[in-house]
Amino acid sequence: MSDETERHRQDNRSPALHFEMVRYQTVPSLAGIVTDICGYREIRRGHFRIVEYASLTVPLVISFADPFAIGLGRDPGDNDRFASFAAGLYAGPVIIESSGAACCVQVNFTPLGARQFFGLPMSELRDRMIGLDDALGSEGIALRERLGETRDWETRFAIAEAFVISRLAEPNELSPEVAWAYRTVIASGGRTRISALAGEIGWSRKHLAAKFSDAIGIGPKTLSRIVRFNRALSLSKRQEDDWAGIAADCGYADQAHLVREFRQLAGETPTALAALA
């Protein structure tokens, strides 16, 4: 589940009738590492479907009830069920289905924060979900048991936050060059040329791409695409139907380029996506 509500749609038009979601803003020391922690509980049986669009959120989901069915760029199948898991970045739409009995805590990491927290190459999570035991080992299983034994959201959030802080106490070095390049892409709205980034650092484009893949799971070009897409999606809330202007503002070659990117990253055309908002 993404922490930005505008990045998903629900096929039933009354989402408040079937789930509750509680959000917790983490302590300032986690700024730039964790965006927030949320609690999610479904309160009505049924078949529910959410489509999330390409984002820069790396979620850790810890479940106490029924699993979700998740498909990357497609409808999930019978073997695509996940309860407690970590998911890497994916440059496309994610389809999530549930039966009305899901309950979980979700920690939403930034890409740089995820690398520090998990302490493994984020390329291992790219375009996939991995189970809690594979992501965090026995510590993750113990965390799930503690959270499952607790009944109120506030205590669950405090436990999850303390767990994140304790893992970050173990140093997992992050390349300062990659961190700088990542933040530069974000600050530019995805419009910085990759060759310029590599030249500023003194690396080749190939070396920069390899280091990016290790640190956050995707290359700088894909990162730029996702950043531009989300900026365009945000601008569409204020510049309704001005897709040519939005394309120009966000650095697309033309409106046709913007449409192709929306199809790939959201599975919808810009106008169809706007109609679902």
Side-chain angles (χ1 to χ4, degrees), residues 152-228:
D152 65 280
W153 290 123
E154 290 75 14
T155 304
R156 283 173 171 168
F157 295 152
I159 292 172
E161 182 178 65
F163 180 82
V164 171
I165 292 172
S166 68
R167 277 187 65 90
L168 291 173
E170 302 175 10
N172 288 310
E173 290 191 10
L174 181 66
S175 164
E177 293 87 355
V178 170
W180 174 83
Y182 174 86
R183 294 185 179 110
T184 300
V185 171
I186 298 296
S188 73
R191 302 189 65 166
T192 298
R193 295 180 64 85
I194 308 307
S195 57
L197 287 176
E200 186 71 23
I201 296 172
W203 291 351
S204 68
R205 290 187 56 160
K206 183 177 180 180
H207 186 65
L208 176 62
K211 288 293 187 179
F212 246 78
S213 180
D214 174 80
I216 66 173
I218 57 176
K221 181 177 180 180
T222 302
L223 172 67
S224 297
R225 292 178 60 216
I226 295 174
V227 171
R228 284 196 301 270

Coordinates of all heavy atoms in Angstrom, one line a residue, residues 152-228:
D152 N -3.6 -2.2 20.3 CA -3.9 -0.8 20.0 C -2.8 -0.3 19.0 O -1.6 -0.7 19.1 CB -4.0 0.1 21.2 CG -2.6 0.2 22.0 OD1 -2.3 -0.8 22.7 OD2 -1.9 1.2 21.8
W153 N -3.2 0.6 18.1 CA -2.3 1.2 17.1 C -1.1 1.9 17.7 O 0.0 1.8 17.2 CB -3.1 2.0 16.1 CG -4.0 1.3 15.2 CD1 -5.4 1.6 15.1 CD2 -3.7 0.3 14.3 NE1 -5.9 0.7 14.2 CE2 -5.0 -0.1 13.7 CE3 -2.6 -0.4 14.0 CZ2 -5.0 -1.1 12.7 CZ3 -2.6 -1.4 13.0 CH2 -3.8 -1.7 12.4
E154 N -1.4 2.7 18.7 CA -0.3 3.6 19.3 C 0.8 2.7 19.8 O 2.0 3.0 19.5 CB -0.9 4.4 20.4 CG -1.8 5.5 19.9 CD -3.2 5.0 19.6 OE1 -3.5 3.8 19.9 OE2 -4.0 5.8 18.9
T155 N 0.5 1.6 20.5 CA 1.6 0.8 21.0 C 2.3 0.1 19.8 O 3.5 -0.1 19.8 CB 1.1 -0.3 22.0 OG1 0.4 0.4 23.0 CG2 2.2 -1.1 22.6
R156 N 1.6 -0.4 18.8 CA 2.2 -1.0 17.7 C 3.1 0.0 17.0 O 4.2 -0.4 16.6 CB 1.1 -1.5 16.7 CG 0.4 -2.7 17.1 CD -0.8 -3.1 16.2 NE -1.4 -4.4 16.5 CZ -2.5 -4.8 16.1 NH1 -3.2 -4.0 15.3 NH2 -2.9 -6.0 16.4
F157 N 2.7 1.2 16.8 CA 3.6 2.2 16.1 C 4.8 2.4 16.9 O 5.9 2.5 16.4 CB 2.8 3.5 16.0 CG 1.6 3.4 15.1 CD1 0.6 4.3 15.2 CD2 1.6 2.5 14.0 CE1 -0.5 4.3 14.4 CE2 0.5 2.5 13.2 CZ -0.6 3.3 13.4
A158 N 4.7 2.5 18.2 CA 5.9 2.7 19.1 C 6.9 1.5 19.0 O 8.1 1.7 18.9 CB 5.5 2.9 20.5
I159 N 6.3 0.3 18.9 CA 7.2 -0.9 18.8 C 7.9 -0.9 17.5 O 9.1 -1.1 17.4 CB 6.4 -2.1 19.0 CG1 5.9 -2.3 20.5 CG2 7.2 -3.4 18.6 CD1 4.9 -3.4 20.7
A160 N 7.1 -0.6 16.4 CA 7.7 -0.6 15.1 C 8.8 0.5 14.9 O 9.9 0.2 14.4 CB 6.6 -0.4 14.0
E161 N 8.5 1.7 15.4 CA 9.5 2.8 15.4 C 10.8 2.4 16.1 O 11.9 2.7 15.6 CB 8.8 4.0 15.9 CG 9.7 5.3 15.8 CD 9.0 6.5 16.4 OE1 8.8 6.5 17.6 OE2 8.8 7.4 15.6
A162 N 10.6 1.9 17.3 CA 11.8 1.5 18.1 C 12.6 0.4 17.4 O 13.9 0.5 17.4 CB 11.4 1.0 19.5
F163 N 12.0 -0.5 16.7 CA 12.7 -1.5 15.9 C 13.5 -0.9 14.8 O 14.6 -1.3 14.6 CB 11.7 -2.5 15.4 CG 12.3 -3.6 14.6 CD1 12.8 -4.7 15.2 CD2 12.3 -3.6 13.2 CE1 13.4 -5.8 14.5 CE2 12.9 -4.6 12.5 CZ 13.5 -5.7 13.1
V164 N 12.9 0.0 14.1 CA 13.6 0.7 13.0 C 14.8 1.4 13.5 O 15.9 1.3 13.0 CB 12.7 1.7 12.2 CG1 13.4 2.5 11.2 CG2 11.5 0.9 11.5
I165 N 14.6 2.2 14.6 CA 15.7 2.9 15.2 C 16.9 2.0 15.6 O 18.0 2.3 15.4 CB 15.2 3.8 16.3 CG1 14.3 4.9 15.8 CG2 16.4 4.4 17.1 CD1 13.6 5.7 16.9
S166 N 16.5 0.9 16.2 CA 17.6 0.0 16.7 C 18.4 -0.6 15.5 O 19.6 -0.8 15.6 CB 16.9 -1.2 17.5 OG 16.1 -2.0 16.7
R167 N 17.7 -1.0 14.4 CA 18.4 -1.5 13.3 C 19.3 -0.5 12.6 O 20.4 -0.8 12.1 CB 17.4 -2.1 12.2 CG 17.0 -3.5 12.5 CD 16.2 -4.0 11.4 NE 16.9 -4.2 10.2 CZ 17.6 -5.3 9.8 NH1 17.6 -6.4 10.7 NH2 18.2 -5.4 8.7
L168 N 18.9 0.8 12.6 CA 19.7 1.8 12.0 C 20.9 2.2 12.9 O 21.8 2.8 12.4 CB 18.8 3.1 11.9 CG 17.7 3.0 10.8 CD1 16.9 4.3 10.9 CD2 18.3 2.8 9.4
A169 N 21.0 1.7 14.1 CA 22.2 1.9 14.9 C 23.3 1.1 14.4 O 24.5 1.4 14.7 CB 21.9 1.5 16.4
E170 N 23.0 0.0 13.6 CA 24.1 -0.8 13.0 C 24.5 -0.1 11.7 O 23.6 0.1 10.8 CB 23.6 -2.2 12.7 CG 23.2 -2.9 14.0 CD 22.6 -4.3 13.7 OE1 22.7 -4.7 12.5 OE2 22.0 -4.9 14.6
P171 N 25.7 0.3 11.5 CA 26.1 1.1 10.3 C 26.0 0.3 9.0 O 26.4 -0.8 8.9 CB 27.5 1.5 10.6 CG 28.0 0.5 11.5 CD 26.9 0.1 12.4
N172 N 25.2 0.9 8.1 CA 25.2 0.3 6.7 C 25.5 1.5 5.8 O 24.7 2.3 5.5 CB 23.8 -0.2 6.4 CG 23.4 -1.5 7.1 OD1 24.2 -2.4 7.1 ND2 22.3 -1.5 7.8
E173 N 26.8 1.5 5.4 CA 27.3 2.7 4.7 C 26.6 2.9 3.3 O 26.4 1.9 2.6 CB 28.8 2.6 4.4 CG 29.6 2.7 5.7 CD 31.1 2.8 5.4 OE1 31.5 3.0 4.2 OE2 31.9 2.8 6.4
L174 N 26.2 4.1 3.1 CA 25.6 4.5 1.8 C 26.5 5.4 1.1 O 27.1 6.4 1.6 CB 24.3 5.2 2.1 CG 23.4 5.7 0.9 CD1 22.9 4.4 0.1 CD2 22.3 6.5 1.4
S175 N 26.8 5.1 -0.2 CA 27.7 6.0 -1.0 C 27.2 7.4 -1.0 O 26.1 7.7 -1.4 CB 27.7 5.4 -2.4 OG 28.3 6.4 -3.3
P176 N 28.1 8.3 -0.6 CA 27.7 9.8 -0.6 C 27.4 10.3 -2.0 O 26.6 11.2 -2.2 CB 28.9 10.5 0.1 CG 30.0 9.5 -0.1 CD 29.4 8.2 0.0
E177 N 28.1 9.7 -3.0 CA 27.9 10.1 -4.4 C 26.5 9.7 -4.9 O 25.8 10.5 -5.5 CB 29.0 9.4 -5.3 CG 30.4 9.9 -5.1 CD 31.1 9.1 -4.0 OE1 30.5 8.3 -3.4 OE2 32.3 9.4 -3.8
V178 N 26.1 8.5 -4.5 CA 24.7 8.1 -4.9 C 23.7 8.9 -4.2 O 22.7 9.3 -4.8 CB 24.5 6.6 -4.6 CG1 23.1 6.2 -4.8 CG2 25.4 5.7 -5.5
A179 N 23.9 9.1 -2.9 CA 22.9 9.9 -2.1 C 22.8 11.3 -2.7 O 21.7 11.9 -2.9 CB 23.4 10.0 -0.7
W180 N 23.9 11.9 -3.1 CA 23.9 13.3 -3.7 C 23.1 13.2 -5.1 O 22.3 14.1 -5.4 CB 25.3 13.8 -4.0 CG 25.3 15.1 -4.7 CD1 25.1 16.3 -4.2 CD2 25.5 15.2 -6.2 NE1 25.2 17.2 -5.3 CE2 25.4 16.6 -6.5 CE3 25.7 14.3 -7.2 CZ2 25.5 17.1 -7.8 CZ3 25.8 14.8 -8.5 CH2 25.7 16.1 -8.8
A181 N 23.5 12.2 -5.9 CA 22.8 12.1 -7.2 C 21.3 11.8 -7.0 O 20.5 12.4 -7.8 CB 23.5 10.9 -8.0
Y182 N 20.9 11.0 -6.1 CA 19.5 10.8 -5.9 C 18.8 12.1 -5.5 O 17.7 12.4 -6.1 CB 19.4 9.7 -4.7 CG 17.9 9.5 -4.3 CD1 17.1 8.6 -5.0 CD2 17.4 10.2 -3.2 CE1 15.8 8.4 -4.6 CE2 16.1 10.0 -2.8 CZ 15.3 9.1 -3.5 OH 14.0 8.9 -3.1
R183 N 19.3 12.8 -4.5 CA 18.7 14.0 -4.1 C 18.7 15.1 -5.2 O 17.7 15.9 -5.3 CB 19.4 14.5 -2.9 CG 19.3 13.6 -1.6 CD 19.8 14.2 -0.4 NE 19.7 13.3 0.7 CZ 20.7 12.6 1.3 NH1 21.9 12.7 0.9 NH2 20.4 11.8 2.3
T184 N 19.7 15.1 -6.1 CA 19.7 16.0 -7.2 C 18.6 15.7 -8.2 O 17.9 16.6 -8.7 CB 21.0 16.0 -7.9 OG1 22.1 16.3 -7.0 CG2 21.1 16.9 -9.1
V185 N 18.4 14.4 -8.5 CA 17.3 14.0 -9.3 C 15.9 14.4 -8.7 O 15.0 15.0 -9.4 CB 17.3 12.5 -9.6 CG1 16.0 12.1 -10.3 CG2 18.5 12.1 -10.4
I186 N 15.7 14.2 -7.4 CA 14.5 14.5 -6.8 C 14.3 16.1 -6.8 O 13.2 16.5 -7.2 CB 14.5 14.1 -5.3 CG1 14.6 12.5 -5.2 CG2 13.2 14.6 -4.6 CD1 13.4 11.8 -5.8
A187 N 15.3 16.8 -6.5 CA 15.2 18.3 -6.5 C 14.9 18.9 -7.9 O 14.2 19.9 -8.0 CB 16.4 18.9 -5.9
S188 N 15.4 18.2 -8.9 CA 15.2 18.7 -10.3 C 13.8 18.3 -10.9 O 13.5 18.7 -12.0 CB 16.3 18.2 -11.2 OG 16.2 16.9 -11.5
G189 N 13.1 17.5 -10.1 CA 11.8 17.0 -10.7 C 12.1 16.0 -11.7 O 11.2 15.7 -12.6
G190 N 13.2 15.3 -11.7 CA 13.5 14.3 -12.7 C 14.0 14.8 -14.0 O 14.1 14.1 -15.0
R191 N 14.5 16.1 -14.0 CA 14.9 16.7 -15.3 C 16.4 16.8 -15.5 O 16.9 17.2 -16.5 CB 14.3 18.1 -15.4 CG 12.8 18.1 -15.3 CD 12.2 19.5 -15.7 NE 12.4 19.8 -17.0 CZ 11.8 20.8 -17.7 NH1 10.9 21.5 -17.0 NH2 12.1 21.1 -18.9
T192 N 17.2 16.4 -14.5 CA 18.6 16.4 -14.6 C 19.1 15.4 -15.5 O 18.7 14.2 -15.5 CB 19.3 16.2 -13.2 OG1 18.9 17.2 -12.3 CG2 20.8 16.2 -13.3
R193 N 20.0 15.7 -16.4 CA 20.6 14.7 -17.3 C 21.5 13.8 -16.6 O 22.3 14.2 -15.8 CB 21.3 15.5 -18.5 CG 20.4 16.3 -19.3 CD 21.3 17.0 -20.4 NE 21.8 16.0 -21.3 CZ 21.2 15.5 -22.4 NH1 19.9 15.9 -22.6 NH2 21.8 14.6 -23.2
I194 N 21.4 12.5 -16.9 CA 22.2 11.5 -16.2 C 23.6 11.7 -16.5 O 24.5 11.5 -15.7 CB 21.7 10.1 -16.6 CG1 20.2 9.9 -16.4 CG2 22.4 9.0 -15.8 CD1 19.7 10.3 -15.0
S195 N 24.0 12.0 -17.7 CA 25.4 12.3 -18.1 C 26.0 13.4 -17.3 O 27.1 13.3 -16.9 CB 25.5 12.6 -19.6 OG 24.7 13.7 -19.9
A196 N 25.1 14.4 -17.0 CA 25.6 15.5 -16.1 C 25.9 15.0 -14.7 O 26.9 15.5 -14.1 CB 24.6 16.7 -16.2
L197 N 25.0 14.2 -14.2 CA 25.2 13.6 -12.9 C 26.5 12.9 -12.8 O 27.3 13.0 -11.9 CB 24.1 12.7 -12.5 CG 22.7 13.4 -12.1 CD1 21.7 12.3 -11.9 CD2 22.8 14.2 -10.9
A198 N 26.7 12.0 -13.8 CA 27.9 11.1 -13.8 C 29.1 12.0 -13.9 O 30.1 11.7 -13.2 CB 27.8 10.1 -14.9
G199 N 29.1 13.0 -14.8 CA 30.2 13.8 -15.0 C 30.6 14.6 -13.7 O 31.8 14.8 -13.4
E200 N 29.6 15.1 -13.0 CA 29.8 15.8 -11.8 C 30.5 15.0 -10.7 O 31.4 15.5 -10.0 CB 28.5 16.4 -11.2 CG 28.6 17.3 -10.1 CD 29.2 18.7 -10.4 OE1 29.1 19.1 -11.6 OE2 29.7 19.3 -9.5
I201 N 30.1 13.7 -10.7 CA 30.7 12.8 -9.7 C 32.1 12.3 -10.1 O 33.0 12.0 -9.3 CB 29.8 11.6 -9.4 CG1 28.5 12.1 -8.8 CG2 30.4 10.6 -8.5 CD1 27.4 11.0 -8.7
G202 N 32.3 12.2 -11.5 CA 33.5 11.7 -12.0 C 33.4 10.2 -12.3 O 34.4 9.5 -12.4
W203 N 32.2 9.7 -12.5 CA 32.0 8.3 -12.8 C 31.4 8.2 -14.3 O 31.0 9.2 -14.8 CB 30.9 7.7 -11.9 CG 31.3 7.5 -10.5 CD1 32.5 7.7 -10.0 CD2 30.4 7.2 -9.4 NE1 32.5 7.4 -8.6 CE2 31.3 7.1 -8.2 CE3 29.1 6.9 -9.3 CZ2 30.8 6.8 -7.0 CZ3 28.6 6.5 -8.0 CH2 29.4 6.5 -6.9
S204 N 31.5 7.0 -14.8 CA 30.8 6.8 -16.1 C 29.4 6.6 -15.8 O 28.9 6.3 -14.7 CB 31.4 5.5 -16.8 OG 31.1 4.4 -16.0
R205 N 28.6 6.7 -16.9 CA 27.1 6.5 -16.7 C 26.9 5.0 -16.3 O 26.0 4.8 -15.5 CB 26.4 6.8 -18.0 CG 26.3 8.2 -18.4 CD 25.4 8.5 -19.6 NE 24.1 8.0 -19.4 CZ 23.0 8.4 -20.1 NH1 23.2 9.3 -21.0 NH2 21.8 7.8 -19.9
K206 N 27.6 4.1 -16.8 CA 27.4 2.7 -16.5 C 27.7 2.4 -15.0 O 27.0 1.7 -14.3 CB 28.3 1.8 -17.4 CG 28.2 0.3 -17.1 CD 29.1 -0.5 -18.1 CE 28.9 -2.0 -17.9 NZ 29.7 -2.7 -18.8
H207 N 28.8 3.1 -14.5 CA 29.2 2.9 -13.1 C 28.1 3.5 -12.2 O 27.7 2.9 -11.2 CB 30.5 3.5 -12.8 CG 31.1 3.2 -11.5 ND1 31.4 2.0 -11.0 CD2 31.3 4.1 -10.4 CE1 31.8 2.0 -9.8 NE2 31.8 3.3 -9.4
L208 N 27.6 4.7 -12.6 CA 26.6 5.3 -11.8 C 25.3 4.5 -11.7 O 24.7 4.3 -10.7 CB 26.3 6.7 -12.4 CG 25.1 7.5 -11.7 CD1 25.4 7.8 -10.3 CD2 24.8 8.8 -12.5
A209 N 24.9 3.9 -12.9 CA 23.7 3.1 -12.9 C 23.9 1.8 -12.0 O 23.0 1.4 -11.3 CB 23.5 2.6 -14.4
A210 N 25.1 1.2 -12.0 CA 25.3 0.0 -11.2 C 25.3 0.4 -9.7 O 24.7 -0.3 -8.9 CB 26.7 -0.6 -11.5
K211 N 25.8 1.5 -9.3 CA 25.8 1.9 -7.9 C 24.4 2.3 -7.5 O 24.0 2.0 -6.4 CB 26.7 3.1 -7.7 CG 28.2 2.8 -7.8 CD 28.6 2.0 -6.6 CE 30.1 1.7 -6.6 NZ 30.5 0.9 -5.4
F212 N 23.6 2.9 -8.4 CA 22.2 3.2 -8.1 C 21.4 2.0 -7.9 O 20.6 1.9 -6.9 CB 21.6 4.0 -9.3 CG 21.3 5.4 -8.9 CD1 22.2 6.4 -8.8 CD2 20.0 5.8 -8.7 CE1 21.9 7.7 -8.5 CE2 19.6 7.1 -8.4 CZ 20.6 8.1 -8.3
S213 N 21.6 1.0 -8.7 CA 20.9 -0.2 -8.6 C 21.2 -0.9 -7.3 O 20.2 -1.5 -6.7 CB 21.3 -1.2 -9.8 OG 20.6 -2.4 -9.7
D214 N 22.4 -0.9 -6.9 CA 22.8 -1.5 -5.6 C 22.1 -0.8 -4.4 O 21.6 -1.4 -3.5 CB 24.3 -1.5 -5.4 CG 24.7 -2.0 -4.0 OD1 24.7 -3.2 -3.8 OD2 25.0 -1.1 -3.1
A215 N 22.1 0.6 -4.5 CA 21.6 1.4 -3.4 C 20.1 1.5 -3.3 O 19.6 1.3 -2.2 CB 22.2 2.8 -3.5
I216 N 19.4 1.6 -4.4 CA 18.0 1.9 -4.3 C 17.2 0.9 -5.2 O 15.9 0.9 -5.1 CB 17.6 3.3 -4.6 CG1 17.9 3.6 -6.1 CG2 18.3 4.3 -3.7 CD1 17.4 5.0 -6.5
G217 N 17.8 0.1 -6.0 CA 17.1 -0.9 -6.7 C 16.8 -0.6 -8.2 O 16.4 -1.5 -9.0
I218 N 16.9 0.7 -8.5 CA 16.7 1.1 -9.9 C 17.8 2.1 -10.3 O 18.5 2.6 -9.5 CB 15.3 1.8 -10.1 CG1 15.2 3.0 -9.1 CG2 14.2 0.8 -9.9 CD1 13.9 3.8 -9.3
G219 N 17.9 2.2 -11.7 CA 18.9 3.2 -12.2 C 18.4 4.6 -12.1 O 17.2 4.9 -11.9
P220 N 19.3 5.6 -12.3 CA 18.9 7.0 -12.3 C 17.9 7.3 -13.4 O 17.1 8.2 -13.2 CB 20.3 7.7 -12.5 CG 21.2 6.7 -13.1 CD 20.8 5.4 -12.6
K221 N 18.0 6.7 -14.5 CA 17.0 7.0 -15.6 C 15.6 6.6 -15.2 O 14.6 7.4 -15.3 CB 17.4 6.2 -16.9 CG 16.4 6.5 -18.0 CD 16.9 5.8 -19.3 CE 16.0 6.1 -20.5 NZ 16.4 5.4 -21.7
T222 N 15.5 5.4 -14.6 CA 14.1 5.0 -14.1 C 13.7 5.8 -12.9 O 12.5 6.2 -12.8 CB 14.2 3.5 -13.7 OG1 14.6 2.7 -14.7 CG2 12.8 3.0 -13.2
L223 N 14.6 6.2 -12.1 CA 14.2 7.1 -11.0 C 13.7 8.4 -11.5 O 12.6 8.9 -11.1 CB 15.5 7.4 -10.1 CG 15.3 8.5 -9.1 CD1 14.3 8.1 -8.0 CD2 16.6 8.9 -8.5
S224 N 14.3 9.0 -12.5 CA 13.9 10.2 -13.1 C 12.5 10.1 -13.7 O 11.6 11.0 -13.6 CB 14.9 10.7 -14.2 OG 16.1 11.0 -13.7
R225 N 12.2 8.9 -14.4 CA 10.9 8.7 -15.0 C 9.8 8.7 -13.9 O 8.7 9.3 -14.1 CB 10.9 7.3 -15.7 CG 11.7 7.3 -17.0 CD 11.7 5.9 -17.5 NE 10.3 5.5 -17.9 CZ 9.8 4.3 -17.8 NH1 10.5 3.3 -17.3 NH2 8.6 4.0 -18.1
I226 N 10.1 8.0 -12.8 CA 9.1 8.0 -11.7 C 8.8 9.3 -11.1 O 7.7 9.7 -10.8 CB 9.5 6.9 -10.6 CG1 9.5 5.5 -11.3 CG2 8.5 7.0 -9.4 CD1 10.0 4.4 -10.3
V227 N 9.9 10.1 -10.9 CA 9.8 11.4 -10.3 C 9.0 12.3 -11.3 O 8.1 13.0 -10.8 CB 11.2 12.0 -10.1 CG1 11.1 13.5 -9.7 CG2 11.9 11.3 -9.0
R228 N 9.3 12.3 -12.6 CA 8.5 13.1 -13.5 C 7.0 12.7 -13.5 O 6.2 13.6 -13.6 CB 9.1 13.0 -14.9 CG 10.4 13.7 -15.2 CD 10.7 13.9 -16.7 NE 10.8 12.6 -17.3 CZ 11.9 11.9 -17.4 NH1 13.1 12.4 -17.0 NH2 12.0 10.7 -18.1

